[in-house]
Amino acid sequence: MKTQLKKGTLDMCVLAVLAQSDSYAYELVSTLSRTMEISEGTIYPLMRRLQNESWVSTYLVESASGPSRKYYALTEAGKRELELMRREWQEFVSEVGSVLSRLPAADKSGEQQA
Amino acid sequence: MKTQLKKGTLDMCVLAVLAQSDSYAYELVSTLSRTMEISEGTIYPLMRRLQNESWVSTYLVESASGPSRKYYALTEAGKRELELMRREWQEFVSEVGSVLSRLPAADKSGEQQA
DNA sequence: CTAGCTATCTTGCAATGCAAGATAGTTGGG
DNA sequence: CCCAACTATCTTGCATTGCAAGATAGCTAG
């Protein structure tokens, strides 16, 4: 349903989680799932993109409970990008909010502006 | 740049503008352009979608300064949808905010999880 | 008649989220 | 031993949507 809303924000969300601590794709999904919906089919292509942009680096860690985990770590460029995305996101939310705020529509008697 | 962020919000923005007063596509673009970026290639397919969903109805009005304008008016279903979208948007913004807010990375002392 | 503004619409492309499924290692039950 | 279930990776193909570019058309001014 809200699929479209997520477009462009998931990168930022993943970077934000990685800003706290390194993680691997499978764990990222379960971490983010505590707050928002995200599925595995989404995360792997996404992580590849982040890596292509050099916003994350990777290293393998063996696991005793399954296959090796590919950990992702935020790079310096990734930190800068995260801050940029945050700014853009807040700006965008504010823009949308300002469009929405003109919808009170409750009462048009005292309206100003076109 | 922020193209992806707009996905799914433009419908809502258009409905919000129409909640104030009827308008036509060309005018909607210029109205919304005061606040956010949107282009004509976006608006026409979008308006068709809104119409297919029966969230707007249309009527033609001749213009002395060019071709006839196709005005769009919010339907009752459209008003309900707008409120729904608003709720979902606010919920989503809050979710993203809560993921972002954990990025201070300040302190991991109280962490649990595997 | 050409240029430019209003106004409509279409085509084709890029980006991205996701369902579905393939592949593997590990563990526990029958 | 074998099978199910959980961890963990990744790929394929599809749907949605925003946008650049361009086509069409009415009107006005030079």
mmCIF file of all heavy atoms in Angstrom, chain A residues 51-82:
data_model
loop_
_atom_site.group_PDB
_atom_site.id
_atom_site.type_symbol
_atom_site.label_atom_id
_atom_site.label_comp_id
_atom_site.label_asym_id
_atom_site.label_seq_id
_atom_site.Cartn_x
_atom_site.Cartn_y
_atom_site.Cartn_z
ATOM 1 N N GLN A 51 26.827 0.119 -1.897
ATOM 2 C CA GLN A 51 28.225 -0.255 -2.044
ATOM 3 C C GLN A 51 28.814 0.354 -3.322
ATOM 4 O O GLN A 51 29.940 0.851 -3.318
ATOM 5 C CB GLN A 51 28.337 -1.782 -2.073
ATOM 6 C CG GLN A 51 29.740 -2.289 -1.797
ATOM 7 C CD GLN A 51 29.803 -3.802 -1.760
ATOM 8 O OE1 GLN A 51 28.777 -4.482 -1.829
ATOM 9 N NE2 GLN A 51 31.020 -4.321 -1.660
ATOM 10 N N ASN A 52 28.030 0.326 -4.379
ATOM 11 C CA ASN A 52 28.491 0.922 -5.643
ATOM 12 C C ASN A 52 28.790 2.405 -5.486
ATOM 13 O O ASN A 52 29.675 2.945 -6.148
ATOM 14 C CB ASN A 52 27.450 0.731 -6.750
ATOM 15 C CG ASN A 52 27.399 -0.692 -7.258
ATOM 16 O OD1 ASN A 52 28.338 -1.475 -7.028
ATOM 17 N ND2 ASN A 52 26.320 -1.060 -7.926
ATOM 18 N N GLU A 53 28.027 3.044 -4.611
ATOM 19 C CA GLU A 53 28.237 4.474 -4.371
ATOM 20 C C GLU A 53 29.365 4.713 -3.364
ATOM 21 O O GLU A 53 29.646 5.855 -3.010
ATOM 22 C CB GLU A 53 26.942 5.107 -3.842
ATOM 23 C CG GLU A 53 25.750 5.015 -4.776
ATOM 24 C CD GLU A 53 25.885 5.964 -5.958
ATOM 25 O OE1 GLU A 53 26.773 6.826 -5.934
ATOM 26 O OE2 GLU A 53 25.080 5.830 -6.911
ATOM 27 N N SER A 54 29.899 3.627 -2.872
ATOM 28 C CA SER A 54 30.978 3.726 -1.862
ATOM 29 C C SER A 54 30.501 4.362 -0.559
ATOM 30 O O SER A 54 31.295 5.003 0.139
ATOM 31 C CB SER A 54 32.182 4.511 -2.402
ATOM 32 O OG SER A 54 32.736 3.838 -3.491
ATOM 33 N N TRP A 55 29.264 4.166 -0.250
ATOM 34 C CA TRP A 55 28.735 4.698 1.007
ATOM 35 C C TRP A 55 28.874 3.666 2.133
ATOM 36 O O TRP A 55 28.755 4.004 3.301
ATOM 37 C CB TRP A 55 27.263 5.107 0.847
ATOM 38 C CG TRP A 55 27.095 6.259 -0.097
ATOM 39 C CD1 TRP A 55 28.036 7.208 -0.395
ATOM 40 C CD2 TRP A 55 25.942 6.593 -0.867
ATOM 41 N NE1 TRP A 55 27.541 8.106 -1.310
ATOM 42 C CE2 TRP A 55 26.241 7.753 -1.611
ATOM 43 C CE3 TRP A 55 24.669 6.028 -0.988
ATOM 44 C CZ2 TRP A 55 25.336 8.363 -2.468
ATOM 45 C CZ3 TRP A 55 23.752 6.630 -1.848
ATOM 46 C CH2 TRP A 55 24.086 7.789 -2.574
ATOM 47 N N VAL A 56 29.080 2.423 1.743
ATOM 48 C CA VAL A 56 29.342 1.372 2.724
ATOM 49 C C VAL A 56 30.490 0.495 2.236
ATOM 50 O O VAL A 56 30.742 0.407 1.032
ATOM 51 C CB VAL A 56 28.104 0.470 2.953
ATOM 52 C CG1 VAL A 56 26.939 1.266 3.517
ATOM 53 C CG2 VAL A 56 27.699 -0.232 1.665
ATOM 54 N N SER A 57 31.179 -0.114 3.169
ATOM 55 C CA SER A 57 32.187 -1.121 2.837
ATOM 56 C C SER A 57 31.737 -2.424 3.485
ATOM 57 O O SER A 57 30.865 -2.408 4.353
ATOM 58 C CB SER A 57 33.557 -0.698 3.355
ATOM 59 O OG SER A 57 33.491 -0.497 4.753
ATOM 60 N N THR A 58 32.321 -3.522 3.058
ATOM 61 C CA THR A 58 31.838 -4.811 3.558
ATOM 62 C C THR A 58 32.978 -5.682 4.077
ATOM 63 O O THR A 58 34.126 -5.514 3.679
ATOM 64 C CB THR A 58 31.124 -5.615 2.459
ATOM 65 O OG1 THR A 58 32.082 -6.027 1.494
ATOM 66 C CG2 THR A 58 30.060 -4.782 1.790
ATOM 67 N N TYR A 59 32.609 -6.586 4.951
ATOM 68 C CA TYR A 59 33.538 -7.619 5.386
ATOM 69 C C TYR A 59 32.737 -8.830 5.826
ATOM 70 O O TYR A 59 31.612 -8.700 6.303
ATOM 71 C CB TYR A 59 34.449 -7.116 6.513
ATOM 72 C CG TYR A 59 33.720 -6.559 7.717
ATOM 73 C CD1 TYR A 59 33.495 -7.346 8.846
ATOM 74 C CD2 TYR A 59 33.264 -5.244 7.727
ATOM 75 C CE1 TYR A 59 32.839 -6.835 9.965
ATOM 76 C CE2 TYR A 59 32.601 -4.725 8.838
ATOM 77 C CZ TYR A 59 32.396 -5.524 9.944
ATOM 78 O OH TYR A 59 31.737 -5.015 11.038
ATOM 79 N N LEU A 60 33.305 -9.999 5.641
ATOM 80 C CA LEU A 60 32.608 -11.245 5.957
ATOM 81 C C LEU A 60 32.921 -11.699 7.381
ATOM 82 O O LEU A 60 34.052 -11.593 7.836
ATOM 83 C CB LEU A 60 33.028 -12.356 4.992
ATOM 84 C CG LEU A 60 32.362 -12.338 3.607
ATOM 85 C CD1 LEU A 60 32.877 -13.506 2.775
ATOM 86 C CD2 LEU A 60 30.852 -12.405 3.744
ATOM 87 N N VAL A 61 31.912 -12.215 8.037
ATOM 88 C CA VAL A 61 32.108 -12.791 9.365
ATOM 89 C C VAL A 61 31.391 -14.134 9.415
ATOM 90 O O VAL A 61 30.205 -14.212 9.115
ATOM 91 C CB VAL A 61 31.532 -11.871 10.473
ATOM 92 C CG1 VAL A 61 31.608 -12.561 11.834
ATOM 93 C CG2 VAL A 61 32.266 -10.547 10.511
ATOM 94 N N GLU A 62 32.113 -15.170 9.777
ATOM 95 C CA GLU A 62 31.494 -16.495 9.849
ATOM 96 C C GLU A 62 30.496 -16.554 10.988
ATOM 97 O O GLU A 62 30.652 -15.876 12.002
ATOM 98 C CB GLU A 62 32.576 -17.547 10.063
ATOM 99 C CG GLU A 62 33.449 -17.748 8.827
ATOM 100 C CD GLU A 62 34.652 -18.624 9.142
ATOM 101 O OE1 GLU A 62 34.485 -19.570 9.956
ATOM 102 O OE2 GLU A 62 35.739 -18.369 8.586
ATOM 103 N N SER A 63 29.472 -17.344 10.770
ATOM 104 C CA SER A 63 28.441 -17.489 11.790
ATOM 105 C C SER A 63 28.308 -18.962 12.158
ATOM 106 O O SER A 63 28.474 -19.838 11.315
ATOM 107 C CB SER A 63 27.119 -16.963 11.251
ATOM 108 O OG SER A 63 26.053 -17.433 12.046
ATOM 109 N N ALA A 64 28.031 -19.223 13.404
ATOM 110 C CA ALA A 64 27.853 -20.601 13.846
ATOM 111 C C ALA A 64 26.424 -21.070 13.603
ATOM 112 O O ALA A 64 26.107 -22.218 13.758
ATOM 113 C CB ALA A 64 28.206 -20.720 15.327
ATOM 114 N N SER A 65 25.574 -20.164 13.215
ATOM 115 C CA SER A 65 24.159 -20.531 13.082
ATOM 116 C C SER A 65 23.664 -20.423 11.645
ATOM 117 O O SER A 65 22.491 -20.200 11.399
ATOM 118 C CB SER A 65 23.317 -19.627 13.986
ATOM 119 O OG SER A 65 23.401 -18.297 13.534
ATOM 120 N N GLY A 66 24.571 -20.535 10.681
ATOM 121 C CA GLY A 66 24.170 -20.432 9.278
ATOM 122 C C GLY A 66 25.324 -19.950 8.432
ATOM 123 O O GLY A 66 26.468 -19.956 8.884
ATOM 124 N N PRO A 67 25.039 -19.555 7.210
ATOM 125 C CA PRO A 67 26.084 -19.078 6.295
ATOM 126 C C PRO A 67 26.756 -17.816 6.815
ATOM 127 O O PRO A 67 26.236 -17.135 7.689
ATOM 128 C CB PRO A 67 25.328 -18.779 4.999
ATOM 129 C CG PRO A 67 23.963 -19.341 5.161
ATOM 130 C CD PRO A 67 23.714 -19.549 6.606
ATOM 131 N N SER A 68 27.921 -17.490 6.269
ATOM 132 C CA SER A 68 28.656 -16.285 6.646
ATOM 133 C C SER A 68 27.803 -15.044 6.462
ATOM 134 O O SER A 68 26.988 -14.955 5.553
ATOM 135 C CB SER A 68 29.916 -16.154 5.790
ATOM 136 O OG SER A 68 30.834 -17.158 6.096
ATOM 137 N N ARG A 69 28.032 -14.091 7.330
ATOM 138 C CA ARG A 69 27.307 -12.828 7.240
ATOM 139 C C ARG A 69 28.189 -11.790 6.559
ATOM 140 O O ARG A 69 29.367 -11.654 6.871
ATOM 141 C CB ARG A 69 26.982 -12.326 8.642
ATOM 142 C CG ARG A 69 26.049 -13.244 9.390
ATOM 143 C CD ARG A 69 26.085 -12.918 10.870
ATOM 144 N NE ARG A 69 25.081 -13.696 11.595
ATOM 145 C CZ ARG A 69 25.012 -13.747 12.919
ATOM 146 N NH1 ARG A 69 25.869 -13.068 13.659
ATOM 147 N NH2 ARG A 69 24.082 -14.475 13.503
ATOM 148 N N LYS A 70 27.587 -11.068 5.645
ATOM 149 C CA LYS A 70 28.313 -9.976 5.006
ATOM 150 C C LYS A 70 27.969 -8.682 5.735
ATOM 151 O O LYS A 70 26.895 -8.122 5.542
ATOM 152 C CB LYS A 70 27.937 -9.877 3.525
ATOM 153 C CG LYS A 70 28.793 -8.866 2.773
ATOM 154 C CD LYS A 70 28.266 -8.592 1.380
ATOM 155 C CE LYS A 70 28.796 -9.627 0.398
ATOM 156 N NZ LYS A 70 28.373 -9.307 -0.993
ATOM 157 N N TYR A 71 28.858 -8.237 6.553
ATOM 158 C CA TYR A 71 28.630 -7.007 7.309
ATOM 159 C C TYR A 71 28.890 -5.779 6.466
ATOM 160 O O TYR A 71 29.780 -5.767 5.626
ATOM 161 C CB TYR A 71 29.541 -6.972 8.544
ATOM 162 C CG TYR A 71 28.950 -7.687 9.734
ATOM 163 C CD1 TYR A 71 29.080 -9.063 9.866
ATOM 164 C CD2 TYR A 71 28.253 -6.990 10.721
ATOM 165 C CE1 TYR A 71 28.521 -9.722 10.956
ATOM 166 C CE2 TYR A 71 27.698 -7.646 11.810
ATOM 167 C CZ TYR A 71 27.833 -9.012 11.916
ATOM 168 O OH TYR A 71 27.279 -9.671 12.988
ATOM 169 N N TYR A 72 28.078 -4.754 6.728
ATOM 170 C CA TYR A 72 28.259 -3.474 6.046
ATOM 171 C C TYR A 72 28.637 -2.412 7.068
ATOM 172 O O TYR A 72 28.059 -2.357 8.155
ATOM 173 C CB TYR A 72 26.972 -3.060 5.336
ATOM 174 C CG TYR A 72 26.575 -3.999 4.224
ATOM 175 C CD1 TYR A 72 25.759 -5.095 4.470
ATOM 176 C CD2 TYR A 72 27.035 -3.782 2.927
ATOM 177 C CE1 TYR A 72 25.405 -5.969 3.454
ATOM 178 C CE2 TYR A 72 26.685 -4.658 1.908
ATOM 179 C CZ TYR A 72 25.864 -5.751 2.178
ATOM 180 O OH TYR A 72 25.520 -6.604 1.171
ATOM 181 N N ALA A 73 29.598 -1.583 6.692
ATOM 182 C CA ALA A 73 30.034 -0.487 7.565
ATOM 183 C C ALA A 73 29.930 0.827 6.802
ATOM 184 O O ALA A 73 30.257 0.900 5.614
ATOM 185 C CB ALA A 73 31.475 -0.714 8.012
ATOM 186 N N LEU A 74 29.450 1.846 7.476
ATOM 187 C CA LEU A 74 29.331 3.163 6.867
ATOM 188 C C LEU A 74 30.720 3.742 6.601
ATOM 189 O O LEU A 74 31.585 3.719 7.468
ATOM 190 C CB LEU A 74 28.565 4.063 7.848
ATOM 191 C CG LEU A 74 27.774 5.243 7.283
ATOM 192 C CD1 LEU A 74 26.785 4.780 6.248
ATOM 193 C CD2 LEU A 74 27.053 5.952 8.427
ATOM 194 N N THR A 75 30.919 4.271 5.403
ATOM 195 C CA THR A 75 32.182 4.953 5.101
ATOM 196 C C THR A 75 32.048 6.437 5.431
ATOM 197 O O THR A 75 30.958 6.901 5.770
ATOM 198 C CB THR A 75 32.523 4.827 3.603
ATOM 199 O OG1 THR A 75 31.485 5.475 2.852
ATOM 200 C CG2 THR A 75 32.608 3.374 3.185
ATOM 201 N N GLU A 76 33.127 7.169 5.310
ATOM 202 C CA GLU A 76 33.069 8.623 5.533
ATOM 203 C C GLU A 76 32.118 9.263 4.531
ATOM 204 O O GLU A 76 31.300 10.112 4.879
ATOM 205 C CB GLU A 76 34.468 9.243 5.403
ATOM 206 C CG GLU A 76 35.338 9.057 6.635
ATOM 207 C CD GLU A 76 34.652 9.552 7.903
ATOM 208 O OE1 GLU A 76 34.104 10.676 7.887
ATOM 209 O OE2 GLU A 76 34.640 8.803 8.905
ATOM 210 N N ALA A 77 32.229 8.821 3.281
ATOM 211 C CA ALA A 77 31.326 9.339 2.246
ATOM 212 C C ALA A 77 29.887 9.002 2.598
ATOM 213 O O ALA A 77 28.977 9.795 2.346
ATOM 214 C CB ALA A 77 31.702 8.744 0.891
ATOM 215 N N GLY A 78 29.697 7.829 3.181
ATOM 216 C CA GLY A 78 28.363 7.414 3.584
ATOM 217 C C GLY A 78 27.796 8.317 4.668
ATOM 218 O O GLY A 78 26.602 8.649 4.655
ATOM 219 N N LYS A 79 28.654 8.702 5.601
ATOM 220 C CA LYS A 79 28.199 9.601 6.668
ATOM 221 C C LYS A 79 27.778 10.942 6.095
ATOM 222 O O LYS A 79 26.753 11.506 6.478
ATOM 223 C CB LYS A 79 29.323 9.810 7.696
ATOM 224 C CG LYS A 79 29.568 8.605 8.576
ATOM 225 C CD LYS A 79 30.713 8.861 9.570
ATOM 226 C CE LYS A 79 31.218 7.524 10.122
ATOM 227 N NZ LYS A 79 32.527 7.645 10.794
ATOM 228 N N ARG A 80 28.578 11.442 5.174
ATOM 229 C CA ARG A 80 28.243 12.727 4.561
ATOM 230 C C ARG A 80 26.941 12.610 3.792
ATOM 231 O O ARG A 80 26.071 13.479 3.863
ATOM 232 C CB ARG A 80 29.366 13.168 3.607
ATOM 233 C CG ARG A 80 30.599 13.691 4.317
ATOM 234 C CD ARG A 80 31.529 14.382 3.328
ATOM 235 N NE ARG A 80 32.027 13.494 2.282
ATOM 236 C CZ ARG A 80 33.126 12.751 2.393
ATOM 237 N NH1 ARG A 80 33.860 12.801 3.486
ATOM 238 N NH2 ARG A 80 33.506 11.973 1.398
ATOM 239 N N GLU A 81 26.790 11.497 3.054
ATOM 240 C CA GLU A 81 25.580 11.298 2.276
ATOM 241 C C GLU A 81 24.362 11.217 3.187
ATOM 242 O O GLU A 81 23.295 11.769 2.868
ATOM 243 C CB GLU A 81 25.702 10.019 1.445
ATOM 244 C CG GLU A 81 24.515 9.725 0.561
ATOM 245 C CD GLU A 81 24.281 10.789 -0.487
ATOM 246 O OE1 GLU A 81 25.244 11.521 -0.827
ATOM 247 O OE2 GLU A 81 23.141 10.915 -0.970
ATOM 248 N N LEU A 82 24.505 10.536 4.285
ATOM 249 C CA LEU A 82 23.397 10.420 5.227
ATOM 250 C C LEU A 82 22.941 11.798 5.705
ATOM 251 O O LEU A 82 21.735 12.076 5.762
ATOM 252 C CB LEU A 82 23.814 9.555 6.424
ATOM 253 C CG LEU A 82 22.824 9.460 7.587
ATOM 254 C CD1 LEU A 82 21.462 8.977 7.120
ATOM 255 C CD2 LEU A 82 23.374 8.531 8.672
#
